[in-house]
Amino acid sequence: MQTAMNLILLGPPGAGKGTQAKEIEARRGLVQLSTGDMLRSAAAAGTDVGRRAKALMDKGQLVPDEVVIEIIANRIDQADCATGFVLDGFPRTLPQAAALDDMLRSAKKQLHAVIELSVDPKRLVERIAGRYCCAKCGAGYHERFKRPEVAGVCDACGSAAFSRRADDTEEAVANRLMAHYKSTAPLTGYYFCKGYLRAVDGMAPIAEVAKEIEKVLDDVP
Ligand code: AP5
Ligand code: MG
């Protein structure tokens, strides 16, 4: 079984990329690299990049390719990524995918699989509308599908403070879905043609999706 792996999770907003990236991180020790989380941290820290990104993210628009490419290029070079990573939310355009190919080639790293989570678009809005997270540690929950074990208390850190994302508004979600189908959906064909694409049914309950992903990863040569 392959242990050190570099993976991409593809899927529209609300498909479960973040949820499953955290599961893979916990099970296999691969580092979750979420460009959305990195941009939100930069925005919270008030950096120039963060402030400019937040204005676009709050409207549900994509941040320019060069910004996210630079963030990922710096991140995958760090020591903790040497034993593998799961890209969550990157690449999201064909130029980002081409830039990732270059980065991996020059770092002498390999891509092992691209897992696409497919979910009926009608269900995505329901998932996003019910999503919230721990305001202290960022652990993710859902009002119906992933409640904390003790109501109102984060399973991971015990905090009782929760928050919702600023881009989970109706208007921003519509723009995010549009950006996905226009700019990100072509990556399915890109990775299929390169032989990396593995489709997983993202409509199943969280634990079942995780099991399906494990089966796919067990088969990675
Ligand atoms: P990002 O943070 O990546 O958001 P996104 O792609 O819109 O995806 P989400 O995080 O909303 O969904 P997810 O698939 O992670 O689902 P989750 O696991 O939370 O990006 C935000 C913004 O940053 C972008 O709009 C853009 O502006 C910018 N950005 C980021 N990367 C960029 C890039 N590369 N280029 C340009 N701009 C970029 O699950 C959703 C909910 O459903 C949760 O509550 C969860 O508990 C629940 N759930 C999950 N799985 C299941 C299941 N199987 N059954 C039932 N419920 C489930
Ligand atoms: Mg996410």
Side-chain angles (χ1 to χ4, degrees), residues 17-19 34 37 40 88 131 165:
K17 302 181 297 295
T19 303
S34 157
D37 287 349
R40 280 183 287 277
D88 156 13
R131 170 172 55 192
R165 270 174 42 181

Side-chain angles (χ1 to χ4, degrees), residues 12-16 119-129 173 177 181:
V119 177
D120 177 345
K122 277 183 283 187
R123 300 289 294 276
L124 298 173
V125 177
E126 174 189 38
R127 286 194 186 175
I128 292 171
V173 169
L177 287 171
Y181 291 110

Side-chain angles (χ1 to χ4, degrees), residues 98-150:
L100 178 65
D101 289 344
D102 291 344
M103 278 177 228
L104 293 173
R105 201 175 306 114
S106 62
K108 297 195 168 42
K109 288 180 198 274
Q110 182 196 341
L111 186 60
H112 293 85
V114 176
I115 296 167
E116 181 172 54
L117 300 172
S118 41
V119 177
D120 177 345
K122 277 183 283 187
R123 300 289 294 276
L124 298 173
V125 177
E126 174 189 38
R127 286 194 186 175
I128 292 171
R131 170 172 55 192
Y132 61 99
C133 66
C134 172
K136 193 173 166 202
C137 74
Y141 297 98
H142 191 280
E143 283 161 5
R144 282 180 57 204
F145 306 127
K146 192 177 180 222
R147 299 184 179 127
E149 276 166 30
V150 177

Side-chain angles (χ1 to χ4, degrees), residues 11-20 34-37 39-40 53 56-57 60-65 68 88-92 96 127-128 130-132 140-142 145-146 165 167-168 176 202-206 209:
K17 302 181 297 295
T19 303
Q20 295 300 333
S34 157
T35 36
D37 287 349
L39 292 166
R40 280 183 287 277
L56 293 166
M57 291 166 81
Q61 294 170 1
L62 293 183
V63 170
D65 287 338
V68 284
D88 156 13
F90 182 95
R92 224 182 260 244
Q96 291 179 25
R127 286 194 186 175
I128 292 171
R131 170 172 55 192
Y132 61 99
Y141 297 98
H142 191 280
F145 306 127
K146 192 177 180 222
R165 270 174 42 181
D167 62 346
D168 280 351
R176 282 160 59 198
M203 298 283 285
I206 293 171
V209 177

